[in-house]
Amino acid sequence: MLSANNSENKTIIAFELTSDEIESIRKTEKFYCSCCNEEVSIINGKKKISHFSHKKASDCPVSNESELHIKTKKSIYESLKSQGFKNVLLEKTLF
């Protein structure tokens, strides 16, 4: 997943952070899946897109997204933002 909530319930988008920002906050903040509210880890994408991952095996529907799925979501999000759409949600839980 590309976004998660911090302990203040603010949505954080992983790929919008620099590598240094990720390394800094991963040591001091906790993040939670917006779908199941389980704790997740932020992954600093050196080879892949920076993202969040469940800390343990999970039945959460968003816990097994493929790299293609993640890249497609990012592409759609960035395209809509660049076209001037306001309040674009990267990920919206429907259940």
Side-chain angles (χ1 to χ4, degrees):
M1 78 195 80
L2 294 171
S3 64
N5 298 324
N6 66 11
S7 57
E8 297 170 354
N9 206 33
K10 179 182 176 198
T11 300
I12 305 298
I13 299 174
F15 66 82
E16 291 183 341
L17 302 173
T18 67
S19 183
D20 288 341
E21 289 173 325
I22 290 173
E23 289 305 316
S24 176
I25 65 171
R26 75 187 312 171
K27 298 171 187 169
T28 59
E29 292 206 39
K30 290 188 177 191
F31 301 97
Y32 302 91
C33 175
S34 59
C35 180
C36 68
N37 211 34
E38 290 178 9
E39 191 171 349
V40 294
S41 298
I42 189 167
I43 308 299
N44 199 349
K46 296 187 184 348
K47 293 183 182 178
K48 298 180 180 182
I49 298 169
S50 295
H51 63 281
F52 293 92
S53 178
H54 285 81
K55 286 193 166 198
K56 57 184 178 188
S58 175
D59 291 331
C60 180
V62 299
S63 66
N64 292 312
E65 295 176 330
S66 70
E67 184 176 359
L68 176 61
H69 186 90
I70 289 173
K71 284 181 178 180
T72 303
K73 286 195 304 186
K74 180 179 184 276
S75 179
I76 292 168
Y77 174 80
E78 290 175 331
S79 177
L80 291 171
K81 295 282 278 187
S82 72
Q83 293 176 50
F85 285 91
K86 305 284 186 218
N87 302 318
V88 177
L89 296 176
L90 179 62
E91 296 168 318
K92 175 71 175 161
T93 303
L94 300 176
F95 36 96

